[in-house]
Amino acid sequence: MRTIHLASDHAGFALKGLLARHLESRGYAVQDHGTHSTESCDYPVLAHALAAAVEAEPEGLGVLICGTGIGVSITANRHPGIRAALCATELQARLAREHNNANVLCLGARIIGDELARAITDAFLDGHFAGGRHQRRLDRINLPA
Ligand code: RB5
């Protein structure tokens, strides 16, 4: 059973729970990295925890949620092994996998509705990296160490 990593701040807490149930109904296992309540918290802590977990797995995948999706995407993309894509449409989510081999989907809980969030998550998880010229471009993203 494939595991999907999930994390959010307080603004994304409710959507995280909804997506966890949705993913489990689709046959995925979910690893929840928090937060675990609507008490105010700092999104970088959660985004770093999820990014580290996804980076540690060869084919790891995760979903990160904050109010806008922006803070968690900025944070996750500081990890060299993370390609985090902030998506507000199903097309963006599908192409994030196909072209960018994105391994973290970022969502803005205050930007999109629950139904769209579910559809975007499905499009992301059902997408497949196309390789070829896209791999050449990915190889040019990270700055030299
Ligand atoms: C929290 O109020 C909010 O700033 C956070 O969820 C996120 O939108 C940051 O990018």
Side-chain angles (χ1 to χ4, degrees):
M1 185 186 289
R2 178 139 205 201
T3 296
I4 306 298
H5 297 273
L6 287 187
S8 76
D9 71 356
H10 53 287
F13 173 72
L15 180 56
K16 175 165 63 67
L18 184 147
L19 287 182
R21 291 189 295 278
H22 176 64
L23 291 173
E24 283 164 355
S25 78
R26 285 199 56 190
Y28 291 100
V30 166
Q31 189 168 342
D32 186 346
H33 298 267
T35 190
H36 299 293
S37 78
T38 54
E39 188 180 333
S40 183
C41 63
D42 296 336
Y43 62 80
V45 176
L46 291 311
H48 281 308
L50 179 133
V54 170
E55 248 183 339
E57 292 176 6
E59 304 281 323
L61 285 177
V63 181
L64 271 172
I65 312 164
C66 66
T68 58
I70 295 171
V72 289
S73 63
I74 291 172
T75 306
N77 277 316
R78 293 295 177 106
H79 291 244
I82 295 298
R83 292 169 302 281
L86 172 55
C87 298
T89 71
E90 292 170 70
L91 179 61
Q92 285 177 311
R94 180 169 62 78
L95 292 178
R97 292 297 301 285
E98 274 183 39
H99 289 193
N100 311 110
N101 201 14
N103 51 8
V104 175
L105 170 66
C106 299
L107 298 171
R110 293 173 176 160
I111 307 297
I112 57 172
D114 292 349
E115 200 58 44
L116 181 55
R118 268 192 288 258
I120 290 171
T121 302
D122 286 346
F124 184 80
L125 295 177
D126 294 344
H128 297 284
F129 183 46
R133 69 187 185 283
H134 300 295
Q135 183 60 56
R136 185 183 71 235
R137 291 163 186 163
L138 294 187
D139 291 340
R140 305 185 78 168
I141 288 178
N142 283 346
L143 295 169

